[in-house]
Amino acid sequence: MTNDASPYDRFVGFIDRYFEENGYHFTLTSLLKDSPEITLLLDGLDEAAKPFPWLIEGIRHYSKKHVGVQIIASSRLTAENLDLLPFFGVTIRPFTDSQQQSFIRGILGGSDSHVADVVLTHLAKFPEIKEVTRNPLLATVLCEIARNNYKTLPRQEARLYEERLDLLLSLYDPAKGISRVESDRIFIRQAAQRIALHLHERSVRAASRDSLLALLTKDFQYKQDQYSIKLALAELRDPCNVLTEMNFRGDLGFGHLRFQEHLVSEELRSLPDLIVKNIGIPWWRGAIYLWSQNARDILWLVKRLDEEGLISKASKTLDKIMSMRGESEVAKIEEIMENAEISRDLLSDLELGRDTSIVQDVDWQQEDGPMPNY
């Protein structure tokens, strides 16, 4: 498909290529000939729209031309230009307290019922983690962590993912008297983080095994031998299940985008310039938010954003970050943001040629003389 093709043609070609790559011997057009009333389920629209910016426009044109086709698309609310789609929007609400309890007891039933009691007590004690786990994904992650080590449960979302990764990378195996992973634990974790950052910087969720092996070889060739690098990549897939096959070609990724974002957030600890560069981009918002949960101080970030004139672009991400920071730090951040807004408005007035002088009312006393003429 050429770059000058219309968004409509690109969208049709995009779907046809998906069918072909997954072994299906039909096209979207041929499906419509057999049945003009089909349903297209498009999962993760926010993830696909980043590398393919024409996608939302293509879907919009397609839906208008083929009114008999039902299109159902899932997306995070952070996706840009969703309002361009003439679709009826439905927001999936978080678990209620009773739904959350039922879900957890459903996973931790039978011989694990005592673990469910521990988890629910933990949620009652720590409201932050209770709010975070009001969806099936994170509630399941918490239950799996508790099943293996319910004595030290996480208290915030970032820690929840750290515990999950420790579990997958066999941190608790010695206590169980088993040994599943041969790779060095520090290196295999570094390899996972490096792969995640590589994918995220390219706005993708998966890459071929060969390309990931080449990446790790390039980055770690002076620290690890080739056998160790190949072994780490293989063990991230099996037995660790940190990486999983994402498509018909066997490309590897982390399954859920949030798992990738967590690993990226770990890399961001030593990459402040990358945070500043990407904080205004919705694709990076989740990773930067998770990074902030482990950051002792973010004032340096806000000051630098102010210096570089990026406060406005970063406002949505900063609002999310501030919801989890202490009151004194939030007050300082808000002061910087307010001053940045005043400066921006003043600059805008100057560009438009408005009078920016500050006029002060003076109570002129008539007996002191006539009012001056301006």
Side-chain angles (χ1 to χ4, degrees):
M1 188 69 63
T2 61
N3 289 332
D4 58 352
S6 69
Y8 172 90
D9 290 333
R10 287 189 175 193
F11 174 68
V12 173
F14 188 74
I15 299 298
D16 288 346
R17 187 165 65 252
Y18 171 83
F19 289 152
E20 180 182 357
E21 291 177 352
N22 286 274
Y24 300 109
H25 303 292
F26 48 74
T27 65
L28 190 53
T29 302
S30 66
L31 279 178
L32 287 176
K33 288 181 180 179
D34 296 335
S35 176
E37 296 183 355
I38 63 173
T39 298
L40 286 178
L41 178 58
L42 308 175
D43 186 29
L45 184 58
D46 55 309
E47 301 167 26
K50 172 64 179 176
F52 306 108
W54 45 262
L55 185 58
I56 289 180
E57 188 69 11
I59 295 172
R60 185 172 74 87
H61 285 297
Y62 191 88
S63 67
K64 287 187 174 182
K65 185 172 182 178
H66 303 280
V67 293
V69 176
Q70 182 184 37
I71 300 177
I72 303 173
S74 70
S75 173
R76 292 180 176 186
L77 294 177
T78 55
E80 295 180 317
N81 299 324
L82 286 180
D83 56 332
L84 296 178
L85 293 174
F87 293 172
F88 178 75
V90 176
T91 300
I92 299 177
R93 296 178 63 84
F95 285 149
T96 63
D97 286 351
S98 61
Q99 289 171 335
Q100 188 180 44
Q101 291 174 18
S102 298
F103 187 86
I104 290 170
R105 291 199 179 280
I107 293 178
L108 298 172
S111 60
D112 288 326
S113 59
H114 67 290
V115 181
D117 293 334
V118 173
V119 170
L120 293 174
T121 299
H122 181 77
L123 296 183
K125 189 175 180 181
F126 299 102
E128 178 185 336
I129 201 68
K130 181 176 182 178
E131 291 305 309
V132 164
T133 55
R134 288 188 184 275
N135 65 71
L137 173 70
L138 293 186
T140 302
V141 170
L142 180 61
C143 289
E144 288 304 313
I145 292 171
R147 188 178 272 132
N148 287 272
N149 183 26
Y150 63 79
K151 294 182 179 180
T152 56
L153 295 176
R155 302 181 182 184
Q156 59 179 194
E157 185 182 5
R159 186 60 189 163
L160 184 69
Y161 293 118
E162 290 169 20
E163 291 280 355
R164 171 188 175 270
L165 190 61
D166 287 342
L167 180 64
L168 294 178
L169 295 180
S170 307
L171 181 67
Y172 303 124
D173 282 5
K176 300 176 184 177
I178 59 177
S179 179
R180 297 179 300 135
V181 178
E182 183 182 335
S183 295
D184 176 80
R185 286 198 180 91
I186 295 177
F187 172 55
I188 197 172
R189 189 183 187 108
Q190 290 174 336
Q193 291 175 193
R194 185 63 191 91
I195 291 171
L197 182 62
H198 172 79
L199 298 178
H200 220 67
E201 287 185 309
R202 286 153 182 78
S203 303
V204 298
R205 295 276 309 283
S208 69
R209 295 170 191 261
D210 289 344
S211 68
L212 295 182
L213 179 59
L215 168 75
L216 296 180
T217 299
K218 177 185 175 184
D219 286 1
F220 295 102
Q221 60 183 325
Y222 299 113
K223 299 179 181 179
Q224 302 288 336
D225 56 52
Q226 192 64 15
Y227 171 80
S228 298
I229 293 172
K230 288 183 176 179
L231 179 65
L233 180 59
E235 289 191 327
L236 283 171
R237 172 66 184 90
D238 182 34
C240 294
N241 291 317
V242 173
L243 290 173
T244 185
E245 292 186 357
M246 300 285 285
N247 53 35
F248 180 74
R249 295 188 302 271
D251 291 345
L252 296 177
F254 294 95
H256 197 281
L257 178 60
R258 201 60 166 167
F259 299 152
Q260 177 172 310
E261 289 174 333
H262 161 248
L263 289 164
V264 172
S265 75
E266 294 290 301
E267 286 285 277
L268 290 177
R269 294 188 187 196
S270 59
L271 298 169
D273 289 345
L274 198 62
I275 297 172
V276 174
K277 175 184 176 183
N278 293 306
I279 193 169
I281 301 174
W283 171 258
W284 286 84
R285 191 170 296 153
I288 293 175
Y289 173 64
L290 289 174
W291 160 82
S292 73
Q293 291 187 18
N294 284 317
R296 287 182 297 177
D297 168 47
I298 63 165
L299 276 176
W300 69 267
L301 172 62
V302 182
K303 290 176 180 178
R304 183 163 167 190
L305 292 171
D306 184 28
E307 292 170 359
E308 299 189 19
L310 297 173
I311 289 288
S312 179
K313 287 186 177 180
S315 60
K316 288 185 178 180
T317 304
L318 288 177
D319 287 344
K320 178 71 172 174
I321 290 174
M322 287 164 59
S323 68
M324 303 301 295
R325 308 302 294 189
E327 290 183 6
S328 61
E329 188 179 24
V330 168
K332 294 176 182 177
I333 294 171
E334 288 178 337
E335 182 180 358
I336 295 173
M337 293 178 70
E338 287 172 4
N339 289 336
E341 186 175 354
I342 291 172
S343 298
R344 188 172 65 251
D345 291 344
L346 183 61
L347 180 61
S348 176
D349 286 344
L350 287 170
E351 290 175 345
L352 293 173
R354 295 172 180 156
D355 183 5
T356 59
S357 60
I358 299 175
V359 180
Q360 183 177 6
D361 279 338
V362 178
D363 185 16
W364 291 95
Q365 300 295 326
Q366 192 67 32
E367 60 267 28
D368 291 338
M371 211 171 199
N373 294 317
Y374 291 106

